[in-house]
Amino acid sequence: MKETNNKRKEEILASAVRSFPIYEVQQICFESRRYPRRRIRLQRVGLFQTKESAEDAMHAYIKHEKECCETWDEDYYADSLGYYIDEVLVHNKYSEFYENERSQRCYSYTADGELNDCAVLDEFGWFRGRKLKDVRFKEGDIVEIMGFDYSELAIVSVPPPSEEVYQRLKKRAQELYPNIPFSMDESDDCYFVYTLGEGDTHEHVLCFNVFRPTRPVPAKIATQLKEKLEKMKKTYGEL
């Protein structure tokens, strides 16, 4: 009987999908100098066993890059916007459960290696609102947002939900849909912003993709963004 149980245990373990995290460091590089929208690309710095070792490697890389730029009389900040450290799961076998999965955690850093922001999730991966001290920008602030292959100036319309807002939304959802569990995920931890352009240019940008402007914002562009926000508020009302 014991031998049968052991065999069954081995079969279960053999069929189980096991995972462990690694940490990928990527540099956000500028591909163009045009403002307020610039092309960017991600350059892999390396893969590391822990977040701490990834951060150490990032700081060593920054030091090396700055030294090289000084030697070549180049501006490090003209080509480097910042960095990402992504927590990525490595699996021992294929599973449909992990198809199209996102990074477990994503941390963004400035060009000097200072923490910019990260996804604020609980131990189960759910978003339950931000503490007010962790909401870095308010309505009317001009920021620089990261897209797939570009960075662009934008103006904040609505900051990410605070813990108080989360509780209010949860209560309302439970009153309207008492039989449906309420939940929010990483995609809800975002800023509602407007960019320049015709019509409704709003975007929902994950918090770790929102940076302080990496160059001085020209007065003309700042005025245009503020006018854009006011126009959208008059068109759609307060959000």
Side-chain angles (χ1 to χ4, degrees), residues 67-99:
E67 288 173 350
C68 289
C69 286
E70 186 175 347
T71 300
W72 300 330
D73 195 25
E74 295 182 355
D75 182 5
Y76 165 76
Y77 299 99
D79 295 316
S80 181
L81 186 153
Y83 295 83
Y84 289 123
I85 293 183
D86 292 330
E87 180 185 79
V88 182
L89 287 182
V90 177
H91 313 297
N92 67 324
K93 61 174 64 180
Y94 168 75
S95 171
E96 290 183 2
F97 182 79
Y98 294 109
E99 282 186 356

Side-chain angles (χ1 to χ4, degrees), residues 34-178:
R34 191 174 180 180
Y35 216 46
R37 183 183 175 104
R38 292 177 284 182
R39 294 196 311 277
I40 61 171
R41 64 179 172 83
L42 297 181
Q43 175 171 299
R44 176 183 285 176
V45 176
L47 300 169
F48 304 91
Q49 289 184 320
T50 65
K51 180 172 176 284
E52 291 72 22
S53 61
E55 287 181 328
D56 288 344
M58 176 184 66
H59 289 297
Y61 180 83
I62 292 171
K63 182 174 183 292
H64 173 72
E65 287 290 288
K66 287 183 175 180
E67 288 173 350
C68 289
C69 286
E70 186 175 347
T71 300
W72 300 330
D73 195 25
E74 295 182 355
D75 182 5
Y76 165 76
Y77 299 99
D79 295 316
S80 181
L81 186 153
Y83 295 83
Y84 289 123
I85 293 183
D86 292 330
E87 180 185 79
V88 182
L89 287 182
V90 177
H91 313 297
N92 67 324
K93 61 174 64 180
Y94 168 75
S95 171
E96 290 183 2
F97 182 79
Y98 294 109
E99 282 186 356
N100 303 316
E101 69 174 333
R102 295 174 59 87
S103 301
Q104 295 298 104
R105 292 286 193 280
C106 185
Y107 306 83
S108 60
Y109 298 79
T110 67
D112 290 317
E114 298 172 352
L115 181 65
N116 177 63
D117 210 337
C118 62
V120 179
L121 307 175
D122 65 14
E123 64 271 30
F124 303 108
W126 298 111
F127 174 63
R128 300 184 186 277
R130 283 189 166 233
K131 297 182 184 299
L132 289 177
K133 68 180 181 65
D134 295 327
V135 179
R136 298 179 301 129
F137 303 109
K138 63 183 184 302
E139 179 185 318
D141 285 346
I142 295 176
V143 295
E144 190 159 359
I145 61 173
M146 299 300 106
F148 175 71
D149 60 355
Y150 67 91
S151 72
E152 185 170 15
L153 290 182
I155 189 165
V156 173
S157 176
V158 183
S162 64
E163 292 178 332
E164 180 182 351
V165 171
Y166 170 84
Q167 292 299 332
R168 189 161 67 243
L169 293 173
K170 180 180 179 180
K171 181 179 179 181
R172 182 183 177 191
Q174 289 174 335
E175 290 173 350
L176 294 173
Y177 311 103

